[in-house]
mmCIF file of all heavy atoms in Angstrom:
data_model
loop_
_atom_site.group_PDB
_atom_site.id
_atom_site.type_symbol
_atom_site.label_atom_id
_atom_site.label_comp_id
_atom_site.label_asym_id
_atom_site.label_seq_id
_atom_site.Cartn_x
_atom_site.Cartn_y
_atom_site.Cartn_z
ATOM 1 N N ASP A 277 -4.891 -1.852 -17.479
ATOM 2 C CA ASP A 277 -5.523 -1.411 -16.250
ATOM 3 C C ASP A 277 -6.220 -0.051 -16.414
ATOM 4 O O ASP A 277 -7.055 0.311 -15.610
ATOM 5 C CB ASP A 277 -4.497 -1.308 -15.114
ATOM 6 C CG ASP A 277 -4.049 -2.694 -14.646
ATOM 7 O OD1 ASP A 277 -4.885 -3.615 -14.672
ATOM 8 O OD2 ASP A 277 -2.886 -2.843 -14.251
ATOM 9 N N PHE A 278 -5.828 0.725 -17.425
ATOM 10 C CA PHE A 278 -6.464 2.035 -17.554
ATOM 11 C C PHE A 278 -6.807 2.351 -19.017
ATOM 12 O O PHE A 278 -6.951 3.500 -19.390
ATOM 13 C CB PHE A 278 -5.583 3.145 -16.970
ATOM 14 C CG PHE A 278 -4.248 3.283 -17.624
ATOM 15 C CD1 PHE A 278 -4.048 4.181 -18.660
ATOM 16 C CD2 PHE A 278 -3.169 2.520 -17.202
ATOM 17 C CE1 PHE A 278 -2.810 4.312 -19.255
ATOM 18 C CE2 PHE A 278 -1.943 2.655 -17.795
ATOM 19 C CZ PHE A 278 -1.769 3.556 -18.840
ATOM 20 N N THR A 279 -6.973 1.330 -19.846
ATOM 21 C CA THR A 279 -7.412 1.532 -21.212
ATOM 22 C C THR A 279 -8.571 0.596 -21.485
ATOM 23 O O THR A 279 -9.029 -0.128 -20.608
ATOM 24 C CB THR A 279 -6.274 1.196 -22.217
ATOM 25 O OG1 THR A 279 -5.998 -0.209 -22.159
ATOM 26 C CG2 THR A 279 -4.999 1.958 -21.886
ATOM 27 N N ASN A 280 -9.042 0.580 -22.709
ATOM 28 C CA ASN A 280 -10.158 -0.287 -23.089
ATOM 29 C C ASN A 280 -9.708 -1.650 -23.573
ATOM 30 O O ASN A 280 -10.528 -2.454 -24.014
ATOM 31 C CB ASN A 280 -10.992 0.400 -24.191
ATOM 32 C CG ASN A 280 -11.682 1.645 -23.707
ATOM 33 O OD1 ASN A 280 -12.138 1.685 -22.557
ATOM 34 N ND2 ASN A 280 -11.767 2.658 -24.532
ATOM 35 N N PHE A 281 -8.406 -1.949 -23.470
ATOM 36 C CA PHE A 281 -7.917 -3.219 -23.995
ATOM 37 C C PHE A 281 -8.162 -4.380 -23.036
ATOM 38 O O PHE A 281 -8.237 -5.520 -23.463
ATOM 39 C CB PHE A 281 -6.423 -3.111 -24.328
ATOM 40 C CG PHE A 281 -6.145 -2.258 -25.521
ATOM 41 C CD1 PHE A 281 -5.590 -0.996 -25.365
ATOM 42 C CD2 PHE A 281 -6.446 -2.701 -26.788
ATOM 43 C CE1 PHE A 281 -5.347 -0.198 -26.463
ATOM 44 C CE2 PHE A 281 -6.208 -1.914 -27.910
ATOM 45 C CZ PHE A 281 -5.664 -0.651 -27.744
ATOM 46 N N GLY A 282 -8.259 -4.103 -21.743
ATOM 47 C CA GLY A 282 -8.483 -5.168 -20.765
ATOM 48 C C GLY A 282 -9.708 -5.997 -21.039
ATOM 49 O O GLY A 282 -9.634 -7.240 -21.112
ATOM 50 N N PRO A 283 -10.889 -5.381 -21.233
ATOM 51 C CA PRO A 283 -12.094 -6.158 -21.507
ATOM 52 C C PRO A 283 -12.023 -6.977 -22.811
ATOM 53 O O PRO A 283 -12.783 -7.919 -22.980
ATOM 54 C CB PRO A 283 -13.198 -5.081 -21.591
ATOM 55 C CG PRO A 283 -12.677 -3.952 -20.785
ATOM 56 C CD PRO A 283 -11.191 -3.950 -21.018
ATOM 57 N N LEU A 284 -11.116 -6.597 -23.702
ATOM 58 C CA LEU A 284 -10.974 -7.323 -24.956
ATOM 59 C C LEU A 284 -10.050 -8.537 -24.827
ATOM 60 O O LEU A 284 -9.848 -9.253 -25.792
ATOM 61 C CB LEU A 284 -10.421 -6.389 -26.046
ATOM 62 C CG LEU A 284 -11.300 -5.175 -26.391
ATOM 63 C CD1 LEU A 284 -10.597 -4.301 -27.412
ATOM 64 C CD2 LEU A 284 -12.655 -5.620 -26.913
ATOM 65 N N GLY A 285 -9.493 -8.722 -23.632
ATOM 66 C CA GLY A 285 -8.648 -9.892 -23.408
ATOM 67 C C GLY A 285 -7.188 -9.665 -23.627
ATOM 68 O O GLY A 285 -6.387 -10.600 -23.547
ATOM 69 N N TYR A 286 -6.771 -8.417 -23.893
ATOM 70 C CA TYR A 286 -5.358 -8.140 -24.124
ATOM 71 C C TYR A 286 -4.642 -7.837 -22.811
ATOM 72 O O TYR A 286 -5.207 -7.226 -21.922
ATOM 73 C CB TYR A 286 -5.185 -6.955 -25.092
ATOM 74 C CG TYR A 286 -5.537 -7.300 -26.508
ATOM 75 C CD1 TYR A 286 -6.829 -7.116 -26.983
ATOM 76 C CD2 TYR A 286 -4.587 -7.844 -27.374
ATOM 77 C CE1 TYR A 286 -7.173 -7.432 -28.283
ATOM 78 C CE2 TYR A 286 -4.906 -8.159 -28.675
ATOM 79 C CZ TYR A 286 -6.193 -7.944 -29.136
ATOM 80 O OH TYR A 286 -6.525 -8.277 -30.414
ATOM 81 N N ASN A 287 -3.384 -8.247 -22.735
ATOM 82 C CA ASN A 287 -2.583 -8.002 -21.549
ATOM 83 C C ASN A 287 -1.291 -7.334 -21.982
ATOM 84 O O ASN A 287 -0.533 -7.881 -22.773
ATOM 85 C CB ASN A 287 -2.273 -9.334 -20.836
ATOM 86 C CG ASN A 287 -1.613 -9.128 -19.502
ATOM 87 O OD1 ASN A 287 -0.812 -8.215 -19.317
ATOM 88 N ND2 ASN A 287 -1.943 -9.983 -18.542
ATOM 89 N N GLY A 288 -1.042 -6.113 -21.458
ATOM 90 C CA GLY A 288 0.163 -5.391 -21.851
ATOM 91 C C GLY A 288 1.400 -5.834 -21.110
ATOM 92 O O GLY A 288 2.505 -5.426 -21.437
ATOM 93 N N GLY A 289 1.241 -6.643 -20.090
ATOM 94 C CA GLY A 289 2.387 -7.093 -19.305
ATOM 95 C C GLY A 289 2.880 -8.459 -19.750
ATOM 96 O O GLY A 289 2.208 -9.187 -20.466
ATOM 97 N N PHE A 290 4.074 -8.810 -19.310
ATOM 98 C CA PHE A 290 4.652 -10.106 -19.642
ATOM 99 C C PHE A 290 5.255 -10.733 -18.404
ATOM 100 O O PHE A 290 5.868 -10.053 -17.583
ATOM 101 C CB PHE A 290 5.743 -9.940 -20.714
ATOM 102 C CG PHE A 290 5.206 -9.561 -22.051
ATOM 103 C CD1 PHE A 290 5.020 -8.223 -22.375
ATOM 104 C CD2 PHE A 290 4.848 -10.529 -22.972
ATOM 105 C CE1 PHE A 290 4.515 -7.860 -23.604
ATOM 106 C CE2 PHE A 290 4.329 -10.172 -24.197
ATOM 107 C CZ PHE A 290 4.159 -8.839 -24.533
ATOM 108 N N ILE A 291 5.085 -12.043 -18.267
ATOM 109 C CA ILE A 291 5.613 -12.731 -17.097
ATOM 110 C C ILE A 291 7.150 -12.690 -17.157
ATOM 111 O O ILE A 291 7.759 -12.606 -18.215
ATOM 112 C CB ILE A 291 5.114 -14.188 -17.023
ATOM 113 C CG1 ILE A 291 5.564 -14.992 -18.233
ATOM 114 C CG2 ILE A 291 3.616 -14.241 -16.863
ATOM 115 C CD1 ILE A 291 5.170 -16.459 -18.162
ATOM 116 N N GLY A 292 7.743 -12.755 -15.965
ATOM 117 C CA GLY A 292 9.190 -12.669 -15.863
ATOM 118 C C GLY A 292 9.852 -14.023 -15.770
ATOM 119 O O GLY A 292 9.217 -15.075 -15.940
ATOM 120 N N THR A 293 11.140 -13.984 -15.480
ATOM 121 C CA THR A 293 11.914 -15.219 -15.359
ATOM 122 C C THR A 293 12.638 -15.259 -14.019
ATOM 123 O O THR A 293 13.671 -15.904 -13.888
ATOM 124 C CB THR A 293 12.938 -15.329 -16.515
ATOM 125 O OG1 THR A 293 13.673 -14.105 -16.606
ATOM 126 C CG2 THR A 293 12.233 -15.587 -17.827
ATOM 127 N N GLY A 294 12.077 -14.570 -13.014
ATOM 128 C CA GLY A 294 12.617 -14.645 -11.675
ATOM 129 C C GLY A 294 13.501 -13.459 -11.308
ATOM 130 O O GLY A 294 13.409 -12.392 -11.913
ATOM 131 N N ILE A 295 14.357 -13.679 -10.321
ATOM 132 C CA ILE A 295 15.274 -12.648 -9.837
ATOM 133 C C ILE A 295 16.687 -12.950 -10.318
ATOM 134 O O ILE A 295 17.110 -14.115 -10.317
ATOM 135 C CB ILE A 295 15.253 -12.567 -8.293
ATOM 136 C CG1 ILE A 295 13.858 -12.141 -7.805
ATOM 137 C CG2 ILE A 295 16.287 -11.570 -7.779
ATOM 138 C CD1 ILE A 295 13.721 -12.125 -6.304
ATOM 139 N N TYR A 296 17.396 -11.901 -10.724
ATOM 140 C CA TYR A 296 18.782 -12.022 -11.164
ATOM 141 C C TYR A 296 19.690 -11.280 -10.198
ATOM 142 O O TYR A 296 19.325 -10.222 -9.665
ATOM 143 C CB TYR A 296 18.948 -11.460 -12.587
ATOM 144 C CG TYR A 296 18.262 -12.296 -13.628
ATOM 145 C CD1 TYR A 296 16.871 -12.249 -13.763
ATOM 146 C CD2 TYR A 296 18.965 -13.154 -14.460
ATOM 147 C CE1 TYR A 296 16.222 -13.022 -14.705
ATOM 148 C CE2 TYR A 296 18.319 -13.923 -15.413
ATOM 149 C CZ TYR A 296 16.949 -13.862 -15.538
ATOM 150 O OH TYR A 296 16.306 -14.634 -16.473
ATOM 151 N N MET A 297 20.871 -11.827 -9.985
ATOM 152 C CA MET A 297 21.795 -11.259 -8.998
ATOM 153 C C MET A 297 23.151 -10.995 -9.661
ATOM 154 O O MET A 297 23.623 -11.750 -10.504
ATOM 155 C CB MET A 297 21.968 -12.230 -7.824
ATOM 156 C CG MET A 297 23.018 -11.788 -6.815
ATOM 157 S SD MET A 297 23.271 -13.057 -5.548
ATOM 158 C CE MET A 297 24.656 -12.380 -4.655
ATOM 159 N N SER A 298 23.784 -9.880 -9.235
ATOM 160 C CA SER A 298 25.113 -9.545 -9.712
ATOM 161 C C SER A 298 26.001 -9.206 -8.528
ATOM 162 O O SER A 298 25.588 -8.457 -7.627
ATOM 163 C CB SER A 298 25.073 -8.364 -10.670
ATOM 164 O OG SER A 298 26.372 -7.957 -11.024
ATOM 165 N N THR A 299 27.204 -9.740 -8.524
ATOM 166 C CA THR A 299 28.180 -9.407 -7.473
ATOM 167 C C THR A 299 29.157 -8.332 -7.935
ATOM 168 O O THR A 299 29.863 -7.759 -7.092
ATOM 169 C CB THR A 299 28.970 -10.660 -7.062
ATOM 170 O OG1 THR A 299 29.640 -11.200 -8.210
ATOM 171 C CG2 THR A 299 28.043 -11.718 -6.466
ATOM 172 N N ASP A 300 29.197 -8.055 -9.242
ATOM 173 C CA ASP A 300 30.165 -7.086 -9.749
ATOM 174 C C ASP A 300 29.508 -5.893 -10.453
ATOM 175 O O ASP A 300 30.193 -4.999 -10.952
ATOM 176 C CB ASP A 300 31.142 -7.755 -10.709
ATOM 177 C CG ASP A 300 30.455 -8.389 -11.921
ATOM 178 O OD1 ASP A 300 29.223 -8.225 -12.082
ATOM 179 O OD2 ASP A 300 31.152 -9.059 -12.712
ATOM 180 N N GLY A 301 28.177 -5.874 -10.509
ATOM 181 C CA GLY A 301 27.483 -4.782 -11.174
ATOM 182 C C GLY A 301 27.508 -4.841 -12.671
ATOM 183 O O GLY A 301 27.079 -3.898 -13.348
ATOM 184 N N ASN A 302 27.958 -5.964 -13.247
ATOM 185 C CA ASN A 302 28.023 -6.104 -14.699
ATOM 186 C C ASN A 302 27.438 -7.421 -15.211
ATOM 187 O O ASN A 302 26.803 -7.446 -16.260
ATOM 188 C CB ASN A 302 29.480 -6.002 -15.172
ATOM 189 C CG ASN A 302 30.074 -4.630 -14.937
ATOM 190 O OD1 ASN A 302 29.603 -3.633 -15.483
ATOM 191 N ND2 ASN A 302 31.096 -4.565 -14.100
ATOM 192 N N THR A 303 27.621 -8.487 -14.465
ATOM 193 C CA THR A 303 27.151 -9.814 -14.885
ATOM 194 C C THR A 303 26.037 -10.268 -13.954
ATOM 195 O O THR A 303 26.213 -10.288 -12.732
ATOM 196 C CB THR A 303 28.280 -10.840 -14.851
ATOM 197 O OG1 THR A 303 29.365 -10.362 -15.672
ATOM 198 C CG2 THR A 303 27.793 -12.183 -15.372
ATOM 199 N N PHE A 304 24.887 -10.645 -14.527
ATOM 200 C CA PHE A 304 23.743 -11.035 -13.737
ATOM 201 C C PHE A 304 23.395 -12.497 -14.002
ATOM 202 O O PHE A 304 23.371 -12.950 -15.158
ATOM 203 C CB PHE A 304 22.534 -10.166 -14.081
ATOM 204 C CG PHE A 304 22.610 -8.788 -13.496
ATOM 205 C CD1 PHE A 304 23.386 -7.806 -14.099
ATOM 206 C CD2 PHE A 304 21.933 -8.466 -12.350
ATOM 207 C CE1 PHE A 304 23.476 -6.542 -13.563
ATOM 208 C CE2 PHE A 304 21.999 -7.197 -11.786
ATOM 209 C CZ PHE A 304 22.783 -6.233 -12.400
ATOM 210 N N ASN A 305 23.146 -13.225 -12.922
ATOM 211 C CA ASN A 305 22.789 -14.636 -13.000
ATOM 212 C C ASN A 305 21.451 -14.873 -12.318
ATOM 213 O O ASN A 305 21.157 -14.282 -11.275
ATOM 214 C CB ASN A 305 23.878 -15.502 -12.354
ATOM 215 C CG ASN A 305 25.202 -15.397 -13.092
ATOM 216 O OD1 ASN A 305 25.277 -15.617 -14.288
ATOM 217 N ND2 ASN A 305 26.248 -15.022 -12.354
ATOM 218 N N GLN A 306 20.681 -15.767 -12.888
ATOM 219 C CA GLN A 306 19.359 -16.072 -12.382
ATOM 220 C C GLN A 306 19.438 -16.852 -11.072
ATOM 221 O O GLN A 306 20.228 -17.792 -10.937
ATOM 222 C CB GLN A 306 18.580 -16.879 -13.419
ATOM 223 C CG GLN A 306 17.128 -17.104 -13.118
ATOM 224 C CD GLN A 306 16.457 -17.915 -14.211
ATOM 225 O OE1 GLN A 306 17.043 -18.859 -14.752
ATOM 226 N NE2 GLN A 306 15.236 -17.563 -14.560
ATOM 227 N N LEU A 307 18.642 -16.448 -10.076
ATOM 228 C CA LEU A 307 18.546 -17.185 -8.822
ATOM 229 C C LEU A 307 17.602 -18.361 -9.017
ATOM 230 O O LEU A 307 16.413 -18.188 -9.317
ATOM 231 C CB LEU A 307 18.033 -16.275 -7.695
ATOM 232 C CG LEU A 307 18.949 -15.117 -7.315
ATOM 233 C CD1 LEU A 307 18.297 -14.258 -6.217
ATOM 234 C CD2 LEU A 307 20.318 -15.606 -6.866
ATOM 235 N N GLU A 308 18.130 -19.559 -8.845
ATOM 236 C CA GLU A 308 17.429 -20.778 -9.207
ATOM 237 C C GLU A 308 16.081 -20.899 -8.496
ATOM 238 O O GLU A 308 15.090 -21.346 -9.078
ATOM 239 C CB GLU A 308 18.304 -21.994 -8.880
ATOM 240 C CG GLU A 308 17.761 -23.310 -9.379
ATOM 241 C CD GLU A 308 17.797 -23.413 -10.902
ATOM 242 O OE1 GLU A 308 18.659 -22.778 -11.520
ATOM 243 O OE2 GLU A 308 16.929 -24.135 -11.460
ATOM 244 N N ASP A 309 16.025 -20.497 -7.232
ATOM 245 C CA ASP A 309 14.800 -20.706 -6.457
ATOM 246 C C ASP A 309 13.685 -19.760 -6.847
ATOM 247 O O ASP A 309 12.569 -19.876 -6.334
ATOM 248 C CB ASP A 309 15.111 -20.530 -4.954
ATOM 249 C CG ASP A 309 14.142 -21.295 -4.074
ATOM 250 O OD1 ASP A 309 13.784 -22.432 -4.427
ATOM 251 O OD2 ASP A 309 13.709 -20.740 -3.037
ATOM 252 N N THR A 310 13.959 -18.809 -7.756
ATOM 253 C CA THR A 310 12.935 -17.829 -8.158
ATOM 254 C C THR A 310 12.414 -18.058 -9.570
ATOM 255 O O THR A 310 11.670 -17.226 -10.092
ATOM 256 C CB THR A 310 13.483 -16.402 -8.063
ATOM 257 O OG1 THR A 310 14.513 -16.206 -9.052
ATOM 258 C CG2 THR A 310 14.061 -16.126 -6.679
ATOM 259 N N LYS A 311 12.798 -19.145 -10.193
ATOM 260 C CA LYS A 311 12.333 -19.412 -11.550
ATOM 261 C C LYS A 311 10.836 -19.753 -11.523
ATOM 262 O O LYS A 311 10.421 -20.681 -10.833
ATOM 263 C CB LYS A 311 13.104 -20.588 -12.165
ATOM 264 C CG LYS A 311 14.523 -20.269 -12.567
ATOM 265 C CD LYS A 311 15.158 -21.469 -13.258
ATOM 266 C CE LYS A 311 16.574 -21.161 -13.693
ATOM 267 N NZ LYS A 311 17.212 -22.321 -14.384
ATOM 268 N N PRO A 312 10.007 -19.029 -12.272
ATOM 269 C CA PRO A 312 8.583 -19.360 -12.314
ATOM 270 C C PRO A 312 8.308 -20.503 -13.281
ATOM 271 O O PRO A 312 9.129 -20.816 -14.156
ATOM 272 C CB PRO A 312 7.946 -18.068 -12.821
ATOM 273 C CG PRO A 312 8.995 -17.474 -13.705
ATOM 274 C CD PRO A 312 10.325 -17.845 -13.077
ATOM 275 N N VAL A 313 7.165 -21.131 -13.105
ATOM 276 C CA VAL A 313 6.705 -22.123 -14.079
ATOM 277 C C VAL A 313 6.354 -21.387 -15.362
ATOM 278 O O VAL A 313 5.561 -20.452 -15.359
ATOM 279 C CB VAL A 313 5.470 -22.884 -13.548
ATOM 280 C CG1 VAL A 313 4.941 -23.833 -14.600
ATOM 281 C CG2 VAL A 313 5.818 -23.625 -12.272
ATOM 282 N N MET A 314 6.960 -21.772 -16.463
ATOM 283 C CA MET A 314 6.754 -21.066 -17.714
ATOM 284 C C MET A 314 5.326 -21.269 -18.230
ATOM 285 O O MET A 314 4.648 -22.234 -17.881
ATOM 286 C CB MET A 314 7.751 -21.544 -18.766
ATOM 287 C CG MET A 314 9.199 -21.303 -18.381
ATOM 288 S SD MET A 314 9.544 -19.560 -17.982
ATOM 289 C CE MET A 314 9.389 -18.836 -19.599
ATOM 290 N N ASN A 315 4.879 -20.335 -19.058
ATOM 291 C CA ASN A 315 3.553 -20.355 -19.673
ATOM 292 C C ASN A 315 2.421 -20.187 -18.671
ATOM 293 O O ASN A 315 1.275 -20.522 -18.973
ATOM 294 C CB ASN A 315 3.324 -21.659 -20.466
ATOM 295 C CG ASN A 315 4.360 -21.849 -21.547
ATOM 296 O OD1 ASN A 315 4.819 -20.892 -22.147
ATOM 297 N ND2 ASN A 315 4.742 -23.091 -21.772
ATOM 298 N N SER A 316 2.686 -19.691 -17.483
ATOM 299 C CA SER A 316 1.637 -19.518 -16.490
ATOM 300 C C SER A 316 1.752 -18.149 -15.852
ATOM 301 O O SER A 316 2.758 -17.848 -15.198
ATOM 302 C CB SER A 316 1.706 -20.600 -15.412
ATOM 303 O OG SER A 316 0.789 -20.335 -14.375
ATOM 304 N N ASP A 317 0.716 -17.309 -16.023
ATOM 305 C CA ASP A 317 0.731 -15.995 -15.407
ATOM 306 C C ASP A 317 0.212 -16.038 -13.981
ATOM 307 O O ASP A 317 0.101 -15.004 -13.328
ATOM 308 C CB ASP A 317 -0.071 -14.997 -16.241
ATOM 309 C CG ASP A 317 -1.535 -15.402 -16.390
ATOM 310 O OD1 ASP A 317 -1.827 -16.591 -16.173
ATOM 311 O OD2 ASP A 317 -2.359 -14.544 -16.742
ATOM 312 N N THR A 318 -0.127 -17.212 -13.490
ATOM 313 C CA THR A 318 -0.580 -17.366 -12.107
ATOM 314 C C THR A 318 0.441 -18.100 -11.249
ATOM 315 O O THR A 318 0.191 -18.329 -10.066
ATOM 316 C CB THR A 318 -1.933 -18.121 -12.066
ATOM 317 O OG1 THR A 318 -1.768 -19.422 -12.623
ATOM 318 C CG2 THR A 318 -3.000 -17.357 -12.833
ATOM 319 N N ALA A 319 1.550 -18.484 -11.817
ATOM 320 C CA ALA A 319 2.573 -19.223 -11.069
ATOM 321 C C ALA A 319 3.323 -18.294 -10.126
ATOM 322 O O ALA A 319 3.399 -17.080 -10.331
ATOM 323 C CB ALA A 319 3.553 -19.876 -12.023
ATOM 324 N N ALA A 320 3.861 -18.864 -9.050
ATOM 325 C CA ALA A 320 4.704 -18.099 -8.147
ATOM 326 C C ALA A 320 5.913 -17.559 -8.907
ATOM 327 O O ALA A 320 6.447 -18.229 -9.787
ATOM 328 C CB ALA A 320 5.151 -18.989 -6.998
ATOM 329 N N TRP A 321 6.308 -16.349 -8.575
ATOM 330 C CA TRP A 321 7.435 -15.636 -9.176
ATOM 331 C C TRP A 321 7.180 -15.181 -10.608
ATOM 332 O O TRP A 321 8.090 -14.716 -11.283
ATOM 333 C CB TRP A 321 8.709 -16.474 -9.133
ATOM 334 C CG TRP A 321 9.168 -16.890 -7.780
ATOM 335 C CD1 TRP A 321 9.095 -18.120 -7.212
ATOM 336 C CD2 TRP A 321 9.763 -16.043 -6.781
ATOM 337 N NE1 TRP A 321 9.614 -18.117 -5.947
ATOM 338 C CE2 TRP A 321 10.040 -16.841 -5.644
ATOM 339 C CE3 TRP A 321 10.121 -14.693 -6.749
ATOM 340 C CZ2 TRP A 321 10.627 -16.337 -4.490
ATOM 341 C CZ3 TRP A 321 10.701 -14.183 -5.588
ATOM 342 C CH2 TRP A 321 10.959 -15.003 -4.490
ATOM 343 N N ALA A 322 5.955 -15.294 -11.119
ATOM 344 C CA ALA A 322 5.675 -14.818 -12.475
ATOM 345 C C ALA A 322 5.854 -13.310 -12.561
ATOM 346 O O ALA A 322 6.298 -12.783 -13.578
ATOM 347 C CB ALA A 322 4.267 -15.222 -12.891
ATOM 348 N N PHE A 323 5.495 -12.595 -11.482
ATOM 349 C CA PHE A 323 5.619 -11.142 -11.457
ATOM 350 C C PHE A 323 6.286 -10.727 -10.134
ATOM 351 O O PHE A 323 5.750 -10.990 -9.058
ATOM 352 C CB PHE A 323 4.266 -10.468 -11.584
ATOM 353 C CG PHE A 323 3.540 -10.810 -12.858
ATOM 354 C CD1 PHE A 323 2.497 -11.710 -12.851
ATOM 355 C CD2 PHE A 323 3.905 -10.217 -14.049
ATOM 356 C CE1 PHE A 323 1.834 -12.023 -14.026
ATOM 357 C CE2 PHE A 323 3.252 -10.523 -15.237
ATOM 358 C CZ PHE A 323 2.207 -11.433 -15.223
ATOM 359 N N ILE A 324 7.433 -10.097 -10.226
ATOM 360 C CA ILE A 324 8.123 -9.564 -9.049
ATOM 361 C C ILE A 324 7.993 -8.050 -9.117
ATOM 362 O O ILE A 324 8.570 -7.395 -9.970
ATOM 363 C CB ILE A 324 9.589 -10.008 -9.024
ATOM 364 C CG1 ILE A 324 9.672 -11.534 -9.017
ATOM 365 C CG2 ILE A 324 10.295 -9.433 -7.793
ATOM 366 C CD1 ILE A 324 10.996 -12.083 -9.412
#
């Protein structure tokens, strides 16, 4: 967004894997309803 790499087709960001929740502050589990479609940077939940 603020370098010359954007016009060259490079993307410094990476899509995520949804939202993770912890009830004890130590173990985190993925919330099933927030899983994005893999390999797609335009899918819902790709970026939170």
Side-chain angles (χ1 to χ4, degrees):
D277 288 326
F278 61 94
T279 67
N280 293 323
F281 289 106
L284 299 177
Y286 287 91
N287 188 324
F290 291 88
I291 61 176
T293 51
I295 297 176
Y296 291 75
M297 174 186 173
S298 174
T299 58
D300 60 5
N302 294 298
T303 305
F304 285 79
N305 297 305
Q306 188 180 39
L307 296 178
E308 188 68 29
D309 206 41
T310 67
K311 287 184 179 180
V313 176
M314 300 304 291
N315 302 325
S316 174
D317 60 342
T318 61
W321 300 107
F323 300 103
I324 301 162

